[in-house]
Amino acid sequence: MTLLTIDGLQMYYRSDDGYVRAADDINLELESGQTLGLVGESGSGKTTIARSIIRLLPDNAEVIDGSIDFDGTEVTDLSDRELRKQIRWREVSMIPQNAMNGFDPVYTVGQQIVQAIRYHEKETSKREARDRARDLFDELGIEPDRIDDYPHQFSGGMAQRAMIALALCLEPRLILADEPTTALDVVIQDRILQTIKRMQAEIDSAMILITHDISVVSETADRIAVCYGGRIVEQADSATIIKNPRHPYTLGLRNAFPDIGDEDDDLISIPGTPPELVDPGEGCRFAPRCPFAEEECWEETPKPEEYGDGHIVRCHRADEADLLREQATEKATWDGMRDKVRQSISRGED
């Protein structure tokens, strides 16, 4: 059953220089119980897409066009009050990037979980809410008595698990996990991700996992959407994105994904930097960094095209995927592009 449908979403930020097109013509579907990975560099639009679902955005954010349908409810039509009562936390919760910033420092962690429960469940007593918080802590491997501690008394990994408890206390149908393992060591990262997946399965919740690390989503997501320059440039099931990508940006991300089975395999970075999103103009937004860009790529914005079951790509050269995959594995392919980027910078070009 389709739980979430995003159709043609344009979420822009107003600035002194004009609109910043942070989420531009976004189209996504998410099934109940499914995990979708949003992957891309910082500034690619991942967090804006997720936060648009529950409108946790700054005052200068504006929906220019499109719709967000959550199980038959058009989110963009709801008032802030309706959104708080009907959607936020009860139906859709969020695990933010930095758990320490997600908690109010003047209240205990337990008080904040109890408050969230009782705000949405008026019939639940304070004792019942505390018992639920203790049970969640126990299930997440935290000593239950620590619900009476303040956020600053938690380590980074423990605070992240406590934030998971807060996000899951109402058993939401959709979890938005925004870089949930940022700044944690790899052992704790894996433990946190496995905990989220286990708890998600227990309450049969869908999840959108936001990350810049393609290796994280390859292990945890059913589908992956690759974001660049405020657009989704490729989306498909996880196996297809990892093994048979068609977009040059996805190929570049895959090059930066280490293979522990090949010690001699050098990682290849993508030259250049993400585009400015104030009046980015026509054409493919990846063209200035793409070693395969042709004249058409600079002049005409590529439209989404489907290649097989649910594999959607925005690229003029997606039909040549076999050739692009072969050439993208060569360091010289990207080094040539790197030289062009340097020359462009030295000339002062955009």
Side-chain angles (χ1 to χ4, degrees):
M1 182 186 78
T2 301
L3 180 66
L4 175 72
T5 302
I6 300 177
D7 184 17
L9 177 68
Q10 292 178 292
M11 174 66 80
Y12 296 173
Y13 297 114
R14 295 184 300 277
S15 75
D16 292 339
D17 297 323
Y19 279 116
V20 178
R21 303 184 182 193
D24 204 4
D25 193 20
I26 302 300
N27 297 280
L28 281 175
E29 281 195 358
L30 182 66
E31 301 294 315
S32 296
Q34 187 180 51
T35 296
L36 170 70
L38 290 182
V39 65
E41 294 167 280
S42 297
S44 61
K46 309 182 301 295
T47 297
T48 295
I49 293 169
R51 286 182 172 267
S52 295
I53 297 168
I54 47 177
R55 295 220 307 267
L56 281 179
L57 293 160
D59 292 339
N60 66 331
E62 184 178 336
V63 175
I64 303 298
D65 199 5
S67 70
I68 302 172
D69 184 300
F70 180 80
D71 194 27
T73 298
E74 179 53 49
V75 173
T76 60
D77 289 341
L78 297 179
S79 67
D80 233 19
R81 184 174 182 279
E82 290 171 328
L83 202 59
R84 286 197 304 271
K85 297 286 284 185
Q86 299 177 30
I87 302 293
R88 287 183 193 153
W89 233 256
R90 176 183 286 279
E91 298 287 351
V92 184
S93 67
M94 189 161 203
I95 304 172
Q97 284 191 33
N98 189 327
M100 290 300 186
N101 293 337
F103 285 111
D104 190 323
V106 301
Y107 295 99
T108 68
V109 172
Q111 284 175 322
Q112 294 176 65
I113 296 174
V114 167
Q115 183 183 41
I117 294 171
R118 298 193 70 205
Y119 177 82
H120 291 282
E121 298 179 3
K122 304 298 185 186
E123 72 284 358
T124 301
S125 69
K126 185 176 179 180
R127 178 179 291 276
E128 290 171 332
R130 276 182 60 83
D131 287 345
R132 192 188 303 179
R134 289 176 62 88
D135 289 343
L136 281 166
F137 266 39
D138 188 44
E139 196 163 355
L140 290 164
I142 308 174
E143 172 59 43
D145 288 342
R146 298 210 61 176
I147 67 168
D148 294 318
D149 286 352
Y150 288 88
H152 74 270
Q153 295 174 284
F154 285 55
S155 67
M158 191 177 295
Q160 199 67 57
R161 279 179 284 163
M163 181 54 69
I164 294 170
L166 178 59
L168 300 184
C169 66
L170 292 165
E171 299 189 351
R173 288 192 291 164
L174 174 59
I175 305 163
L176 307 174
D178 188 0
E179 301 272 11
T181 58
T182 296
L184 301 177
D185 65 67
V186 291
V187 175
I188 298 298
Q189 280 185 30
D190 184 67
R191 193 177 301 164
I192 293 295
L193 288 170
Q194 293 305 317
T195 298
I196 293 173
K197 287 293 289 180
R198 176 171 54 82
M199 297 290 286
Q200 176 197 2
E202 287 178 6
I203 64 175
D204 192 28
S205 176
M207 178 166 67
I208 294 178
L209 175 61
I210 304 161
T211 181
H212 61 275
D213 189 342
I214 199 169
S215 64
V216 169
V217 291
S218 69
E219 293 182 3
T220 56
D222 303 302
R223 284 182 61 82
I224 297 174
V226 180
C227 302
Y228 185 80
R231 289 182 174 145
I232 294 174
V233 296
E234 184 165 16
Q235 58 178 301
D237 63 87
S238 296
T240 298
I241 291 292
I242 299 302
K243 296 178 181 178
N244 297 300
R246 286 180 173 268
H247 197 284
Y249 181 61
T250 312
L251 292 168
L253 290 180
R254 195 178 66 166
N255 284 338
F257 176 25
D259 184 352
I260 61 174
D262 189 350
E263 295 180 1
D264 298 325
D265 190 23
D266 293 332
L267 300 183
I268 305 171
S269 63
I270 302 173
T273 57
E276 291 291 335
L277 296 179
V278 177
D279 192 21
E282 294 298 317
C284 174
R285 291 177 185 174
F286 188 58
R289 305 172 69 188
C290 181
F292 310 112
E294 297 180 337
E295 185 176 351
E296 180 185 23
C297 305
W298 290 87
E299 296 178 352
E300 184 179 338
T301 301
K303 297 178 180 178
E305 299 287 347
E306 186 164 352
Y307 297 85
D309 186 21
H311 187 183
I312 302 170
V313 189
R314 278 181 178 265
C315 178
H316 292 302
R317 300 193 64 186
D319 288 335
E320 305 170 68
D322 290 339
L323 174 64
L324 302 190
R325 287 189 206 110
E326 181 181 349
Q327 293 182 354
T329 60
E330 301 295 329
K331 190 172 184 294
T333 299
W334 298 91
D335 283 344
M337 191 65 223
R338 204 177 314 278
D339 292 339
K340 291 181 182 178
V341 170
R342 290 196 188 102
Q343 292 169 11
S344 174
I345 293 173
S346 68
R347 290 195 301 266
E349 296 177 3
D350 291 337

mmCIF file of all heavy atoms in Angstrom, residues 25-45:
data_model
loop_
_atom_site.group_PDB
_atom_site.id
_atom_site.type_symbol
_atom_site.label_atom_id
_atom_site.label_comp_id
_atom_site.label_asym_id
_atom_site.label_seq_id
_atom_site.Cartn_x
_atom_site.Cartn_y
_atom_site.Cartn_z
ATOM 1 N N ASP A 25 11.047 19.983 -8.397
ATOM 2 C CA ASP A 25 10.365 18.934 -9.170
ATOM 3 C C ASP A 25 10.676 17.545 -8.619
ATOM 4 O O ASP A 25 11.201 16.669 -9.309
ATOM 5 C CB ASP A 25 10.751 19.009 -10.649
ATOM 6 C CG ASP A 25 9.835 18.160 -11.524
ATOM 7 O OD1 ASP A 25 8.711 17.831 -11.078
ATOM 8 O OD2 ASP A 25 10.252 17.800 -12.643
ATOM 9 N N ILE A 26 10.336 17.349 -7.340
ATOM 10 C CA ILE A 26 10.601 16.082 -6.650
ATOM 11 C C ILE A 26 9.400 15.156 -6.808
ATOM 12 O O ILE A 26 8.261 15.530 -6.531
ATOM 13 C CB ILE A 26 10.884 16.318 -5.153
ATOM 14 C CG1 ILE A 26 12.075 17.267 -4.985
ATOM 15 C CG2 ILE A 26 11.116 14.999 -4.441
ATOM 16 C CD1 ILE A 26 13.366 16.783 -5.584
ATOM 17 N N ASN A 27 9.684 13.925 -7.246
ATOM 18 C CA ASN A 27 8.645 12.901 -7.377
ATOM 19 C C ASN A 27 9.114 11.629 -6.685
ATOM 20 O O ASN A 27 10.147 11.059 -7.050
ATOM 21 C CB ASN A 27 8.368 12.613 -8.859
ATOM 22 C CG ASN A 27 7.826 13.825 -9.590
ATOM 23 O OD1 ASN A 27 6.643 14.145 -9.506
ATOM 24 N ND2 ASN A 27 8.700 14.524 -10.306
ATOM 25 N N LEU A 28 8.331 11.202 -5.674
ATOM 26 C CA LEU A 28 8.691 10.015 -4.896
ATOM 27 C C LEU A 28 7.446 9.269 -4.458
ATOM 28 O O LEU A 28 6.395 9.879 -4.231
ATOM 29 C CB LEU A 28 9.470 10.402 -3.627
ATOM 30 C CG LEU A 28 10.955 10.732 -3.728
ATOM 31 C CD1 LEU A 28 11.458 11.207 -2.369
ATOM 32 C CD2 LEU A 28 11.759 9.539 -4.208
ATOM 33 N N GLU A 29 7.584 7.958 -4.310
ATOM 34 C CA GLU A 29 6.541 7.145 -3.679
ATOM 35 C C GLU A 29 7.197 6.235 -2.650
ATOM 36 O O GLU A 29 8.308 5.752 -2.859
ATOM 37 C CB GLU A 29 5.792 6.293 -4.715
ATOM 38 C CG GLU A 29 4.752 7.063 -5.493
ATOM 39 C CD GLU A 29 3.787 6.149 -6.250
ATOM 40 O OE1 GLU A 29 3.971 4.908 -6.191
ATOM 41 O OE2 GLU A 29 2.873 6.673 -6.900
ATOM 42 N N LEU A 30 6.492 6.032 -1.527
ATOM 43 C CA LEU A 30 6.990 5.167 -0.469
ATOM 44 C C LEU A 30 5.873 4.242 -0.019
ATOM 45 O O LEU A 30 4.769 4.701 0.290
ATOM 46 C CB LEU A 30 7.485 6.013 0.715
ATOM 47 C CG LEU A 30 8.093 5.268 1.892
ATOM 48 C CD1 LEU A 30 9.405 4.578 1.488
ATOM 49 C CD2 LEU A 30 8.343 6.228 3.052
ATOM 50 N N GLU A 31 6.161 2.953 0.006
ATOM 51 C CA GLU A 31 5.179 1.962 0.437
ATOM 52 C C GLU A 31 5.239 1.773 1.950
ATOM 53 O O GLU A 31 6.272 2.010 2.580
ATOM 54 C CB GLU A 31 5.446 0.619 -0.250
ATOM 55 C CG GLU A 31 5.404 0.668 -1.773
ATOM 56 C CD GLU A 31 4.014 0.976 -2.297
ATOM 57 O OE1 GLU A 31 3.044 0.382 -1.791
ATOM 58 O OE2 GLU A 31 3.894 1.809 -3.222
ATOM 59 N N SER A 32 4.148 1.316 2.548
ATOM 60 C CA SER A 32 4.132 1.009 3.977
ATOM 61 C C SER A 32 5.194 -0.045 4.286
ATOM 62 O O SER A 32 5.323 -1.035 3.560
ATOM 63 C CB SER A 32 2.755 0.490 4.400
ATOM 64 O OG SER A 32 1.770 1.482 4.233
ATOM 65 N N GLY A 33 5.975 0.192 5.337
ATOM 66 C CA GLY A 33 6.998 -0.752 5.748
ATOM 67 C C GLY A 33 8.283 -0.695 4.959
ATOM 68 O O GLY A 33 9.258 -1.381 5.279
ATOM 69 N N GLN A 34 8.333 0.143 3.917
ATOM 70 C CA GLN A 34 9.502 0.219 3.043
ATOM 71 C C GLN A 34 10.519 1.223 3.580
ATOM 72 O O GLN A 34 10.178 2.186 4.262
ATOM 73 C CB GLN A 34 9.059 0.644 1.637
ATOM 74 C CG GLN A 34 10.129 0.604 0.565
ATOM 75 C CD GLN A 34 9.580 1.040 -0.793
ATOM 76 O OE1 GLN A 34 8.962 2.087 -0.922
ATOM 77 N NE2 GLN A 34 9.788 0.215 -1.808
ATOM 78 N N THR A 35 11.795 0.991 3.260
ATOM 79 C CA THR A 35 12.849 1.944 3.602
ATOM 80 C C THR A 35 13.404 2.559 2.319
ATOM 81 O O THR A 35 13.836 1.836 1.416
ATOM 82 C CB THR A 35 13.999 1.277 4.379
ATOM 83 O OG1 THR A 35 13.514 0.801 5.633
ATOM 84 C CG2 THR A 35 15.132 2.273 4.641
ATOM 85 N N LEU A 36 13.366 3.884 2.255
ATOM 86 C CA LEU A 36 13.898 4.629 1.116
ATOM 87 C C LEU A 36 15.128 5.395 1.570
ATOM 88 O O LEU A 36 15.087 6.125 2.569
ATOM 89 C CB LEU A 36 12.852 5.613 0.586
ATOM 90 C CG LEU A 36 13.332 6.624 -0.460
ATOM 91 C CD1 LEU A 36 13.633 5.921 -1.790
ATOM 92 C CD2 LEU A 36 12.297 7.731 -0.661
ATOM 93 N N GLY A 37 16.237 5.236 0.854
ATOM 94 C CA GLY A 37 17.440 5.990 1.158
ATOM 95 C C GLY A 37 17.552 7.206 0.260
ATOM 96 O O GLY A 37 17.435 7.090 -0.961
ATOM 97 N N LEU A 38 17.754 8.380 0.855
ATOM 98 C CA LEU A 38 18.054 9.599 0.101
ATOM 99 C C LEU A 38 19.542 9.866 0.253
ATOM 100 O O LEU A 38 20.027 10.110 1.366
ATOM 101 C CB LEU A 38 17.260 10.796 0.639
ATOM 102 C CG LEU A 38 15.752 10.838 0.412
ATOM 103 C CD1 LEU A 38 15.175 12.127 0.985
ATOM 104 C CD2 LEU A 38 15.407 10.719 -1.060
ATOM 105 N N VAL A 39 20.278 9.814 -0.845
ATOM 106 C CA VAL A 39 21.732 9.933 -0.772
ATOM 107 C C VAL A 39 22.222 11.046 -1.687
ATOM 108 O O VAL A 39 21.640 11.298 -2.747
ATOM 109 C CB VAL A 39 22.401 8.584 -1.135
ATOM 110 C CG1 VAL A 39 22.130 8.203 -2.573
ATOM 111 C CG2 VAL A 39 23.898 8.606 -0.873
ATOM 112 N N GLY A 40 23.276 11.729 -1.266
ATOM 113 C CA GLY A 40 23.844 12.812 -2.047
ATOM 114 C C GLY A 40 24.727 13.677 -1.174
ATOM 115 O O GLY A 40 24.754 13.532 0.051
ATOM 116 N N GLU A 41 25.459 14.594 -1.804
ATOM 117 C CA GLU A 41 26.343 15.489 -1.063
ATOM 118 C C GLU A 41 25.544 16.483 -0.222
ATOM 119 O O GLU A 41 24.342 16.655 -0.402
ATOM 120 C CB GLU A 41 27.232 16.264 -2.043
ATOM 121 C CG GLU A 41 28.212 15.412 -2.815
ATOM 122 C CD GLU A 41 28.826 16.167 -3.976
ATOM 123 O OE1 GLU A 41 28.170 16.281 -5.034
ATOM 124 O OE2 GLU A 41 29.961 16.648 -3.829
ATOM 125 N N SER A 42 26.239 17.163 0.685
ATOM 126 C CA SER A 42 25.617 18.238 1.446
ATOM 127 C C SER A 42 25.101 19.299 0.477
ATOM 128 O O SER A 42 25.790 19.657 -0.484
ATOM 129 C CB SER A 42 26.633 18.868 2.406
ATOM 130 O OG SER A 42 27.063 17.927 3.355
ATOM 131 N N GLY A 43 23.893 19.789 0.739
ATOM 132 C CA GLY A 43 23.307 20.808 -0.117
ATOM 133 C C GLY A 43 22.576 20.257 -1.324
ATOM 134 O O GLY A 43 22.141 21.025 -2.184
ATOM 135 N N SER A 44 22.414 18.931 -1.392
ATOM 136 C CA SER A 44 21.744 18.338 -2.564
ATOM 137 C C SER A 44 20.226 18.352 -2.457
ATOM 138 O O SER A 44 19.540 18.072 -3.434
ATOM 139 C CB SER A 44 22.228 16.897 -2.761
ATOM 140 O OG SER A 44 21.908 16.100 -1.636
ATOM 141 N N GLY A 45 19.690 18.665 -1.268
ATOM 142 C CA GLY A 45 18.240 18.757 -1.108
ATOM 143 C C GLY A 45 17.625 17.641 -0.285
ATOM 144 O O GLY A 45 16.407 17.614 -0.081
#
